[in-house]
């Protein structure tokens, strides 16, 4: 029963995590925002895993990147070889999302795409889950994401364009046993994405929900229990490529792999069959 960083790459550094405000790299800390011709993507959870892979994929197409996570050293590794700006932040801190958004907009003057990839998970029976861990999972996976979107969204609406990308999970669609709170947080993100999409109709700002299956990152090693289900894991690069295509094609919903749309639909169309399969395969 362990609280762990997810494949979305919210990677804690060694030792206690400092609660410090988001801040740009020193060279970018002062002066007016940089006026860029290139599109700007803010990627959270960019220390490793899906976030790092997504940042590299956007860099390949020449985007200006703003990379956020708690571990500056890992962020700088992700940024290596690119013009990315590193913005360390603790999104679980009360002012974390606001300070990160302020730093991002101060650095570049705008955010064209927000990829909200930071998250953690917890494995074990819900009845044994400490109350503090319930709060921590919900605080980062749900609350921090909503607050960050709230901080960045007005600038996108004012510009008349932009896209919010939320990293969901198949656990949020079907529910995964011994991942009840993580499943609840991801389900809430799915509902939030649909509601927000309706509100933003006609503004030029879109919302993409990425529903991924198990991803081959350090998530399972960190939680102290190996991945033991029958579904094959996918690579972070595969998810990053799908995120990139979704932004390029302005897609609202993406399943990775695509067949994961089937159990989600089966849950609605044939709930009894769905639950029998879920009881068998988890």
């Amino acid at each position: 029963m362990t609280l762990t960083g997810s494949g979305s790459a919210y990677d804690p550094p060694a030792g206690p995590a400092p609660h410090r405000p988001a801040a740009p790299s020193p060279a970018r800390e002062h002066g007016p925002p940089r006026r860029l011709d290139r599109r700007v993507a803010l990627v959270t959870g960019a220390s490793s895993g899906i976030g790092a892979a997504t940042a590299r994929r956007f860099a390949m197409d020449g985007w200006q990147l703003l990379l956020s996570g708690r571990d500056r050293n890992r962020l700088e590794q992700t940024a290596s070889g690119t013009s990315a700006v590193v913005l360390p932040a603790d999104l679980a801190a009360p002012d974390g999302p606001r300070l990160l958004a302020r730093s991002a907009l101060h650095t570049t003057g705008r955010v064209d795409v927000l990829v909200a990839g930071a998250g953690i998970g917890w494995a074990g029976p819900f009845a044994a889950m400490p109350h503090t861990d319930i709060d921590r999972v919900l605080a980062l996976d749900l609350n921090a994401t909503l607050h960050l979107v709230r901080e960045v969204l007005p600038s996108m609406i004012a510009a008349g364009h932009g896209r919010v990308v939320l990293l969901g999970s198949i656990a949020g669609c079907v529910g995964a046993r011994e991942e009840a709170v993580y499943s609840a947080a991801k389900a809430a993100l799915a509902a939030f994405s649909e509601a927000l999409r309706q509100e933003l109709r006609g503004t030029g700002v879109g919302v993409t929900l990425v529903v991924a299956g198990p991803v081959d990152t350090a998530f399972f090693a960190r939680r102290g229990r190996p991945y033991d289900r029958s579904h094959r894991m996918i690579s972070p690069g595969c998810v990053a490529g799908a995120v990139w295509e979704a932004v390029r094609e302005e897609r609202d919903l993406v399943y990775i792999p695509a067949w994961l749309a089937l159990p989600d639909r089966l849950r609605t169309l044939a709930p009894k069959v769905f639950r029998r399969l879920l009881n068998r395969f988890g």
Side-chain angles (χ1 to χ4, degrees):
M1 297 179 290
T2 310
L3 186 72
T4 61
S6 75
S8 302
Y10 184 76
D11 296 308
H19 289 269
R20 58 177 179 269
S25 296
R28 306 280 168 80
E29 194 165 358
H30 301 292
R34 301 174 67 211
R35 299 301 175 186
L36 301 172
D37 294 330
R38 291 186 293 167
R39 292 161 294 180
V40 179
L42 170 60
V43 182
T44 68
S47 304
S48 63
I50 296 173
T54 299
R56 296 186 188 106
R57 180 60 188 86
F58 275 75
M60 288 172 57
D61 201 58
W63 284 61
Q64 174 63 51
L65 295 173
L66 305 173
L67 306 182
S68 185
R70 289 202 300 177
D71 191 317
R72 179 182 287 273
N73 290 334
R74 290 183 181 179
L75 289 174
E76 289 176 348
Q77 291 174 13
T78 301
S80 178
T82 75
S83 61
V85 178
V86 169
L87 301 175
D90 182 0
L91 291 178
D95 280 343
R98 181 180 63 83
L99 293 173
L100 173 58
R102 187 174 70 180
S103 293
L105 293 171
H106 173 80
T107 301
T108 57
R110 72 176 194 269
V111 172
D112 299 302
V113 170
L114 167 63
V115 180
I120 54 176
W122 192 93
F126 177 67
M129 188 174 186
H131 292 280
T132 53
D133 289 343
I134 294 174
D135 293 340
R136 290 179 66 186
V137 171
L138 292 177
L140 184 62
D141 291 9
L142 181 59
N143 293 354
T145 298
L146 268 59
H147 283 292
L148 181 59
V149 173
R150 172 62 183 84
E151 294 291 340
V152 173
L153 196 58
S155 65
M156 291 184 175
I157 294 173
H161 69 87
R163 181 156 292 270
V164 174
V165 180
L166 303 173
L167 290 186
S169 169
I170 189 61
C173 298
V174 303
R177 63 173 172 256
E178 299 197 348
E179 296 182 61
V181 177
Y182 177 78
S183 297
K186 294 301 183 179
L189 277 185
F192 170 68
S193 70
E194 188 59 55
L196 185 61
R197 192 177 298 118
Q198 294 176 46
E199 290 187 25
L200 295 175
R201 191 177 304 151
T203 66
V205 181
V207 180
T208 297
L209 177 67
V210 177
V211 179
V215 183
D216 190 7
T217 68
F219 171 66
F220 298 103
R222 288 195 191 102
R223 74 179 186 179
R225 187 173 72 186
Y227 180 73
D228 57 1
R229 292 173 180 166
S230 59
H231 311 297
R232 181 180 299 177
M233 288 195 290
I234 54 181
S235 70
C238 180
V239 179
V243 170
W244 160 248
E245 290 293 336
V247 170
R248 187 173 67 89
E249 299 175 3
E250 299 183 344
R251 298 177 62 185
D252 293 337
L253 180 61
V254 180
Y255 290 89
I256 313 168
W259 66 262
L260 284 182
L262 297 177
D264 196 11
R265 293 169 184 166
L266 185 63
R267 180 183 58 158
T268 301
L269 298 175
K272 291 184 179 180
V273 174
F274 165 77
R275 289 190 177 88
R276 284 199 296 269
L277 293 173
L278 191 63
N279 289 338
R280 179 175 178 182
F281 296 107

